[in-house]
Amino acid sequence: MHLPSITAALALIGLSAATPVDLDARTLSKDKGLAQSWTSKGRQYIGTALTIRDDSVEQGIIKSPTDFNSITPENAMKWESTEPSRNNFTFAGADAIIDFADKYKKEVRCHTLVWHSQLPAWVSEGNFDNKTLISIMENHIKNVAGRYKNKCTHWDVVNEALEEDGTYRNSVFYKTIGEAFIPISFRLAAKYAGSKTKLYYNDYNLEYGSAKALGAQRILKLVQSYGVQIDGVGLQAHLTSESTASSGGGVTPDTDTLTRVLRLYADLGVEVAYTELDVRFTTPVTKEKLKAQADAYARVTQSCINVKSCVGITIWGVSDKYSWIPGVFKTEGAALLWDEQFNKKPAYDSMLKRIQKFDKS
Ligand code: 9MR
């Protein structure tokens, strides 16, 4: 991806640099970006996580139609942000995300309703009985999903309910209600989110096709067996391009494995998507590591291309400058498509190339 200089680009369309016209070099390029290419192949979205902040370069990349046509609020719709104390709803951050999406014509993957993390202590340590906790969930879902009725193209209704071995995580929801908390959450989301919104189960480390991936398939079948709406499974895809301290030996699987995992869910009649993609490695960055990362991004992209009901790929941020990874895994990072100085990395080009080669016929 090489952009013409502004002067060369202006010359191409018969203007000189002195011409007083506000032109963005990107819009002058005939090369389509990630989202433009993806949607031209008939798929729905390429997205990014959005935190609204004072960085005009980062926000400009998100606002542009070139690379992203969908956003996921990185934190603003989580329980601790929207209902920090019981029945006290705070929507300033979430409303700002929806306004941003309206203004810049982005879809919104809303994230997330029922999750054990970023859950205020009044819920996790409230010692509520089953009936009370269900009524608390209903009040939360009614207020949050109801407020953004039909504004969200997708909702991550239940997030990360599984342990690595495929058994249920011992969250307050599971401990108090049992596995029925999952179909109950979906039933409530279906009641309040609006008929235009697709309802997802979302989790990480499904990409390897191991016990956890089968656990997510079991959840999908469980909700379906209740006759309750569930429209998709989201694979977060927090991946690595090499074995790292945090990866437990795992490395982004080959394309066939990834494709097979997507089909575990797609074959049951629902959509699939990569919802939080990033590919980290042990820093510092080297040329070889960037190449391995680019290959991993290409495998993920190709697997989504291979499965028709894989509607989109959301990348968990724009620039390495703001990624959550170094804060959690101290020696790892550099997981996104733009480096800390907002240069596009080889992973950007490899992802774009895969999309450009995608023959939709
Ligand atoms: O990127 C998010 C980061 O800003 C928060 O501090 C963190 C807190 O848990 O959550 C991050 O996003 C997570 C997402 O909501 C769910 N899947 C894992 C993501 C990375 O931790």
Side-chain angles (χ1 to χ4, degrees):
M1 279 286 311
H2 295 288
L3 292 175
S5 73
I6 281 277
T7 316
L10 289 170
L12 273 175
I13 58 166
L15 297 171
S16 79
T19 309
V21 55
D22 180 22
L23 289 172
D24 168 1
R26 294 242 34 141
T27 61
L28 294 173
S29 164
K30 61 179 180 0
D31 294 331
K32 288 185 180 137
L34 298 171
Q36 290 169 329
S37 303
W38 185 252
T39 55
S40 78
K41 309 287 176 164
R43 298 287 176 96
Q44 194 174 340
Y45 65 86
I46 300 292
T48 181
L50 172 63
T51 292
I52 296 175
R53 66 185 137 229
D54 188 13
D55 183 326
S56 59
V57 181
E58 184 210 32
Q59 304 283 300
I61 292 170
I62 304 175
K63 288 172 184 173
S64 160
T66 308
D67 289 313
F68 301 113
N69 65 329
S70 169
I71 52 162
T72 301
E74 186 169 12
N75 291 298
M77 288 189 183
K78 293 171 179 175
W79 199 311
E80 68 176 10
S81 307
T82 52
E83 193 185 3
S85 56
R86 191 167 177 178
N87 205 31
N88 164 34
F89 289 92
T90 48
F91 288 121
D95 284 357
I97 297 273
I98 296 289
D99 291 348
F100 182 108
D102 282 344
K103 187 158 177 203
Y104 298 105
K105 302 196 171 35
K106 308 291 173 186
E107 300 186 355
V108 195
R109 282 200 89 263
C110 292
H111 173 83
T112 172
L113 292 170
V114 179
W115 186 29
H116 69 281
S117 182
Q118 291 179 280
L119 182 67
W122 74 264
V123 185
S124 56
E125 290 160 29
N127 286 315
F128 300 111
D129 64 16
N130 173 312
K131 195 167 162 230
T132 311
L133 187 57
I134 292 172
S135 74
I136 286 169
M137 286 162 57
E138 173 145 21
N139 194 45
H140 185 75
I141 293 171
K142 177 177 157 196
N143 278 280
V144 179
R147 184 176 183 88
Y148 305 115
K149 187 169 183 180
N150 286 324
K151 292 263 182 191
C152 308
T153 49
H154 307 82
W155 254 116
D156 289 329
V157 176
V158 175
N159 199 37
E160 302 176 5
L162 292 166
E163 295 288 352
E164 293 307 298
D165 67 359
T167 61
Y168 288 113
R169 183 190 291 277
N170 212 13
S171 69
V172 67
F173 303 108
Y174 182 71
K175 275 191 290 199
T176 313
I177 303 167
E179 71 174 3
F181 94 84
I182 299 174
I184 289 170
S185 301
F186 277 90
R187 185 173 55 74
L188 293 171
K191 187 167 164 192
Y192 297 109
S195 57
K196 292 186 187 157
T197 303
K198 307 261 175 161
L199 307 179
Y200 270 54
Y201 176 71
N202 192 50
D203 213 330
Y204 60 91
N205 286 355
L206 305 181
E207 301 78 21
Y208 306 94
S210 54
K212 193 172 189 181
L214 297 177
Q217 192 190 46
R218 193 183 70 237
I219 286 177
L220 173 56
K221 288 179 177 169
L222 174 76
V223 179
Q224 289 177 330
S225 77
Y226 274 65
V228 167
Q229 180 188 344
I230 179 167
D231 303 298
V233 174
L235 290 81
Q236 292 184 8
H238 293 295
L239 298 167
T240 61
S241 48
E242 61 185 22
S243 176
T244 70
S246 69
S247 77
V251 178
T252 304
D254 59 37
T255 306
D256 285 351
T257 304
L258 292 165
T259 305
R260 189 168 49 75
V261 178
L262 294 176
R263 289 199 175 122
L264 282 178
Y265 317 115
D267 287 351
L268 291 169
V270 296
E271 295 183 350
V272 287
Y274 289 109
T275 55
E276 305 181 13
L277 174 62
D278 47 31
V279 183
R280 64 188 187 273
F281 52 79
T282 306
T283 46
V285 174
T286 65
K287 219 173 151 196
E288 291 69 33
K289 289 186 183 222
L290 289 176
K291 166 78 171 77
Q293 177 184 56
D295 291 347
Y297 266 96
R299 298 199 289 279
V300 173
T301 306
Q302 186 61 49
S303 69
C304 189
I305 290 170
N306 290 350
V307 177
K308 234 185 167 162
S309 45
C310 186
V311 289
I313 303 176
T314 296
I315 297 149
W316 206 239
V318 174
S319 155
D320 293 338
K321 188 172 180 182
Y322 299 113
S323 164
W324 65 284
I325 291 170
V328 176
F329 307 124
K330 302 290 171 214
T331 56
E332 299 172 35
L336 296 170
L337 299 182
W338 281 261
D339 71 14
E340 292 188 18
Q341 287 74 43
F342 292 95
N343 300 304
K344 285 178 183 158
K345 293 158 67 180
Y348 177 97
D349 291 323
S350 75
M351 189 169 171
L352 182 61
K353 237 180 249 155
R354 280 302 165 124
I355 300 172
Q356 285 170 341
K357 273 203 213 139
F358 166 13
D359 175 7
K360 66 179 173 182
S361 58

